[in-house]
């Protein structure tokens, strides 16, 4: 035991135990305390990995997170190593962990991570949708009214959207997505990632909503939805274009460069601006 402890966030396998990293195994087998979202699932995972967990195992889930955080911070301040593991994926990402990370940092305790699987990036990569820029929204509101309101606010988001949803709410959520985003918006429903019955269904939102209502998908679901198409800029009238070119010429640009700059600024083809100026 050292003078100050350390909190280690463990990226746990989403379903396939073979995805556990060597460092995940090492930390789990050496931590003084392991805080687990589900202690039974942790025990089963350790057995699958043929690991003995010598440290004390305590539960740390949504229901006791607020109460247990101060207890674990005191353990950390006493110099012990605490490993935090959820049922799958990274702690704090729509899973318990944020409070403990914040508590440890406020107490001056180092926090580190053994990176591992994430349903967010796994589903994004599998979706076939643009992944250079994306927005993670976690779980949508549970009530239909609040859900529709939130989706209405997100309808214009141009980045690819990643959501978590419960099986018993997925059909309703998809119906609301189709209504607010448009039935033709591309999407992918990723179910039971890395598990035996992994399934990825890639369809427009309207078709996906019908499919979900008919099939009733089960298991852990991550939904990826294409971003909104960029809004087309309104084309200025001819007089505005001529004035913009003239202004740049007066500032010292050649007519050719002035036309190029105006065309780029308004998102127009150069030849169209040229035709207006020389009409």
């Amino acid at each position: 035991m050292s003078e100050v402890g350390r909190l280690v966030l463990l990226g746990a396998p989403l379903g396939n135990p073979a995805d556990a990293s060597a460092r995940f195994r090492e930390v789990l087998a050496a931590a003084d305390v392991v805080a687990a979202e589900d202690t039974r699932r942790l025990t089963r995972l350790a057995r699958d990995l043929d690991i003995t967990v010598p440290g004390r195992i305590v539960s740390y889930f949504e229901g006791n997170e607020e109460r247990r955080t101060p207890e674990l911070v005191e353990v950390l301040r006493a110099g012990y190593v605490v490993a935090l593991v959820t049922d799958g994926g990274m702690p704090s990402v729509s899973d318990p962990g944020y409070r403990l990370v914040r508590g440890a940092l406020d107490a001056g305790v180092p926090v580190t991570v053994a990176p591992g699987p994430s349903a967010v990036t796994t589903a994004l990569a599998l979706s076939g949708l643009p992944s250079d820029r994306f927005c993670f929204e976690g779980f949508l509101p549970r009530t239909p009214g609040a859900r529709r309101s939130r989706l209405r606010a997100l309808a214009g988001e141009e980045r690819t959207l990643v959501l978590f949803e419960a099986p018993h709410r997925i059909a309703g959520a998809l119906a609301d997505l189709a209504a607010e985003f448009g039935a033709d918006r591309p999407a992918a429903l990723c179910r039971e990632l890395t598990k035996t019955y992994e399934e990825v269904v890639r369809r427009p939102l309207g078709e996906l909503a019908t499919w979900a209502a008919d099939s009733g998908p089960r298991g852990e679901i991550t939904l990826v939805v294409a971003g909104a198409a960029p809004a087309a800029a309104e084309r200025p009238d001819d007089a505005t274009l001529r004035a913009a070119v003239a202004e740049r010429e007066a500032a010292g640009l050649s007519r050719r460069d002035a036309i190029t700059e105006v065309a780029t600024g308004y998102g127009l083809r150069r030849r169209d601006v040229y035709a207006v100026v020389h009409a």
Side-chain angles (χ1 to χ4, degrees):
M1 184 178 68
S2 61
E3 292 184 3
V4 64
R6 182 165 48 100
L7 174 62
V8 186
L9 309 178
L10 297 181
L14 302 176
N16 190 331
D19 292 334
S21 69
R23 188 154 173 245
F24 177 93
R25 298 163 185 258
E26 178 185 321
V27 172
L28 203 58
D32 299 304
V33 177
V34 178
E37 184 176 12
D38 187 326
T39 58
R40 291 171 299 181
R41 291 186 68 164
L42 172 64
T43 301
R44 186 162 61 248
L45 176 60
R47 185 171 61 248
D48 291 340
L49 298 175
D50 196 24
I51 294 175
T52 298
V53 181
R56 180 166 62 97
I57 299 176
V58 299
S59 65
Y60 189 78
F61 60 99
E62 185 179 2
N64 71 358
E65 188 177 6
E66 187 172 358
R67 170 177 58 83
R68 181 138 285 172
T69 294
E71 301 172 8
L72 290 173
V73 170
E74 287 306 309
V75 171
L76 290 164
R77 294 180 66 178
Y80 294 96
V81 174
V82 175
L84 177 61
V85 58
T86 64
D87 292 347
M90 287 300 303
S92 295
V93 182
S94 282
D95 273 330
Y98 170 76
R99 283 192 177 93
L100 185 54
V101 171
R102 190 67 261 165
L105 293 175
D106 289 345
V109 175
V111 179
T112 187
V113 62
S118 166
V120 176
T121 52
T122 301
L124 184 65
L126 283 173
S127 69
L129 297 172
S131 56
D132 53 336
R133 297 172 64 244
F134 70 94
C135 175
F136 175 58
E137 274 292 314
F139 285 93
L140 291 171
R142 297 185 179 188
T143 60
R147 183 171 64 211
R148 289 288 288 266
S149 177
R150 182 62 191 144
L151 291 176
R152 202 169 296 126
L154 290 169
E157 173 59 61
E158 295 180 7
R159 293 170 293 179
T160 298
L161 188 66
V162 183
L163 303 161
F164 290 160
E165 193 50 275
H168 63 282
R169 292 197 300 267
I170 188 61
L174 282 166
D176 286 345
L177 276 159
E180 298 296 340
F181 287 16
D184 294 333
R185 182 85 70 93
L189 185 149
C190 306
R191 186 181 73 86
E192 295 290 87
L193 291 171
T194 78
K195 300 178 183 178
T196 303
Y197 298 104
E198 176 180 287
E199 181 179 27
V200 180
V201 183
R202 303 174 184 87
R203 299 182 186 179
L205 282 171
E207 294 181 22
L208 205 52
T210 301
W211 173 84
D214 293 340
S215 62
R218 299 184 179 184
E220 296 180 354
I221 294 172
T222 304
L223 191 62
V224 186
V225 183
E234 184 177 348
R235 184 191 184 283
D237 58 33
D238 290 356
T240 299
L241 291 175
R242 292 194 193 98
V245 171
E247 180 182 346
R248 285 160 177 77
E249 285 186 278
L253 288 181
S254 67
R255 173 162 292 190
R256 176 187 179 86
D257 289 343
I259 289 174
T260 299
E261 188 173 296
V262 170
T264 301
Y266 284 110
L268 300 173
R269 293 182 301 181
R270 184 185 179 283
R271 66 183 182 184
D272 291 340
V273 179
Y274 180 92
V276 169
V277 171
H278 289 88

